[in-house]
């Protein structure tokens, strides 16, 4: 499981670097099929919220339980997947912003508060 966590951590770092690069370059010249991936931004955005809602009772069960119902490693794994999905949601949002049809001032505010 340790190798899995290291792999996820490294993938998250790579995605964060891409997110920072995508936030400062103009993405409007990207092909439409890449911009289409941004349409999944709303779906990906809600998955980390659900994972956090799962983590709250899971953490409580670990602290209150004498027996290990849930391993602390599961909490770490859920947090890593939460960070991975949140990074993918942010990149999807940047790709969605590259599509036309959105007000620039609202997008700028939304982009930088999201990052």
């Amino acid at each position: 499981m340790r190798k899995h966590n290291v792999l996820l951590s490294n993938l998250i770092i790579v995605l964060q670097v891409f997110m920072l690069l995508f936030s400062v370059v103009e993405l409007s010249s990207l092909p439409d099929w890449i911009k289409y991936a941004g349409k999944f931004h709303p779906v990906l955005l809600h998955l980390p919220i659900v994972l956090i809602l799962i983590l709250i009772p899971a953490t409580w069960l670990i602290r209150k339980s004498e027996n290990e119902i849930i391993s602390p490693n599961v909490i770490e794994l859920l947090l890593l997947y939460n960070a991975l999905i949140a990074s993918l949601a942010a990149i999807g949002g940047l790709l969605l912003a590259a599509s036309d049809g959105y007000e620039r001032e609202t997008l700028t505010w939304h982009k930088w508060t999201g990052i």
Side-chain angles (χ1 to χ4, degrees), residues 2-105:
R2 195 76 189 138
K3 256 186 175 179
H4 185 75
N5 290 359
V6 170
L7 180 68
L8 275 175
S9 298
N10 289 334
L11 180 61
I12 291 166
I13 290 170
V14 168
L15 288 174
Q16 292 289 316
V17 169
F18 275 117
M19 181 185 66
L20 288 173
L21 289 174
F22 287 170
S23 65
V24 294
V25 299
E26 185 61 39
L27 298 176
S28 60
S29 62
L30 286 173
D32 287 338
W33 64 273
I34 293 177
K35 289 185 208 175
Y36 184 77
K39 302 267 185 204
F40 294 101
H41 170 70
V43 173
L44 289 173
L45 183 65
H46 291 90
L47 284 174
I49 296 168
V50 171
L51 283 176
I52 286 179
L53 291 176
I54 291 171
L55 279 167
I56 292 170
T59 306
W60 182 79
L61 281 174
I62 286 175
R63 290 185 182 180
K64 295 292 182 187
S65 160
E66 292 176 10
N67 303 333
E68 281 196 14
I69 298 172
I70 298 174
S71 167
N73 294 334
V74 172
I75 301 296
E76 182 181 348
L77 195 61
L78 281 173
L79 285 170
L80 283 171
Y81 276 112
N82 197 8
L84 176 69
I85 295 168
S87 299
L88 290 172
I91 291 171
L94 292 169
L95 293 174
L96 184 61
S99 304
D100 295 330
Y102 297 101
E103 191 176 312
R104 286 287 152 208
E105 184 178 327

